């Protein structure tokens, strides 16, 4: 498996962790929340903004947890993803962690998520492949073992092994890339094989990505 610089480096010390989730395509709200870090003199800025109002990683020692559901519902899904990729590229290795939520899960298993007209289930094959490649490279994972907690999107209170979960996410993305992403049978096999991460539940994906810290 490949290992992305986004998750490769272990971070020493006890850095401050900033946690954001459920952006759901609302770029202005996400920008506002991220810029609010550093509003007091006690904490440095997490991000800066340029003349086009795009956010960039500031000079700091934070770890930013983007804890799933970046997409769907709002009007700026691609822009929200671009923001996350930009911050990952600009931050020091390992400082921006992006986890699968059930809406990212829908990109991996669109044949079994019944969300008509959602961004996640309407991606073209090239866009899906690009997202899956990022998952395969480790830029999108299932969980992060922080310094006091384990962070993941939602769902299950039983203890779990973070490394095994992230290996399962990478392996699933790799298999989907090998069959050009859209093989319904492979998607079903992945849901069954990695049910700890990919179980869809009985309501078309609303119960997916079941991990919990």
């Amino acid at each position: 498996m490949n290992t992305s610089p986004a998750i490769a480096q272990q971070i020493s010390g006890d850095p401050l962790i900033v946690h954001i989730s459920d952006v759901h395509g609302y770029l202005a709200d996400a920008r506002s929340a991220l810029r609010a870090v550093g509003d007091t003199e006690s904490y440095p800025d997490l991000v800066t903004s340029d003349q086009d109002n795009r956010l960039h990683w500031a000079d700091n020692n934070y770890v930013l947890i983007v804890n799933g559901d970046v997409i769907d519902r709002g009007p700026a899904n691609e822009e929200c993803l671009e923001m996350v990729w930009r911050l990952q590229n600009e931050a020091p290795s390992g400082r921006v962690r992006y986890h699968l939520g059930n809406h990212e899960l829908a990109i991996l298993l669109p044949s079994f998520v019944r969300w008509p007209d959602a961004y996640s289930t309407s991606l073209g094959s090239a866009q899906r492949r690009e997202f899956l490649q990022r998952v395969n490279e480790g830029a999108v994972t299932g969980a992060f073992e922080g310094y006091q907690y384990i962070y993941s999107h939602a769902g299950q209170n039983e203890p779990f092994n973070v490394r095994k979960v992230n290996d399962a996410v990478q392996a699933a993305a790799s298999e989907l890339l090998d069959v050009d992403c859209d093989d319904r049978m492979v998607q079903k096999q992945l849901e069954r094989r990695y049910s700890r991460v990919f179980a869809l539940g009985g309501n078309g994906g609303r119960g997916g990505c079941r991990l919990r810290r």
Side-chain angles (χ1 to χ4, degrees):
M1 292 180 189
N2 297 323
T3 303
S4 166
I7 65 168
Q9 182 171 313
Q10 295 297 315
I11 301 166
S12 60
D14 189 17
L16 291 172
I17 294 180
V18 177
H19 174 191
I20 187 171
S21 67
D22 297 87
V23 169
H24 281 302
Y26 291 102
L27 182 63
D29 292 338
R31 286 172 172 165
S32 178
L34 294 173
R35 281 193 297 232
V37 180
D39 275 353
T40 68
E41 293 183 359
S42 301
Y43 297 99
D45 290 336
L46 174 69
V47 294
T48 61
S49 55
D50 62 22
Q51 61 184 5
D52 296 317
N53 207 29
R54 291 176 300 190
L55 298 189
H56 299 275
W57 190 258
D59 183 15
N60 61 68
N61 291 316
Y62 292 117
V63 172
L64 173 62
I65 307 292
V66 183
N67 212 14
D69 286 2
V70 168
I71 53 175
D72 287 345
R73 299 181 185 166
N77 297 289
E78 292 184 9
E79 292 86 348
C80 286
L81 286 172
E82 288 169 1
M83 179 186 69
V84 174
W85 308 142
R86 186 185 322 114
L87 293 176
Q88 277 193 338
N89 289 335
E90 294 177 351
S93 178
R95 294 285 177 173
V96 178
R97 310 277 178 146
Y98 178 15
H99 297 155
L100 288 175
N102 48 311
H103 288 261
E104 286 82 11
L105 177 64
I107 298 177
L108 276 69
L109 305 178
S111 295
F112 298 95
V113 178
R114 300 183 294 275
W115 298 343
D117 303 319
Y119 174 84
S120 57
T121 55
S122 302
L123 288 177
S125 58
Q127 291 173 300
R128 280 195 69 219
R129 189 171 187 84
E130 180 181 354
F131 188 87
L132 286 166
Q133 285 172 336
R134 291 184 184 271
V135 178
N136 187 46
E137 292 167 359
V140 187
T141 60
F144 170 55
E145 189 163 3
Y147 304 92
Q148 297 180 1
Y149 303 99
I150 291 175
Y151 295 83
S152 64
H153 181 67
Q156 196 171 92
N157 287 322
E158 297 176 7
F160 60 89
N161 184 298
V162 171
R163 181 179 292 276
K164 288 183 179 179
V165 163
N166 290 338
D167 285 349
V169 170
Q170 261 186 312
S174 178
E175 284 196 47
L176 289 165
L177 286 167
D178 286 344
V179 295
D180 293 328
C181 311
D182 292 321
D183 190 302
R184 180 182 175 89
M185 183 64 70
V186 170
Q187 290 179 42
K188 189 62 177 177
Q189 291 170 350
L190 291 171
E191 184 202 353
R192 291 173 176 168
R193 188 184 315 147
Y194 302 121
S195 60
R196 194 70 184 272
V197 182
F198 298 128
L200 296 174
N203 52 0
R206 296 293 178 192
C209 209
R210 302 186 304 168
L211 301 172
R212 175 169 285 178
R213 66 187 180 192

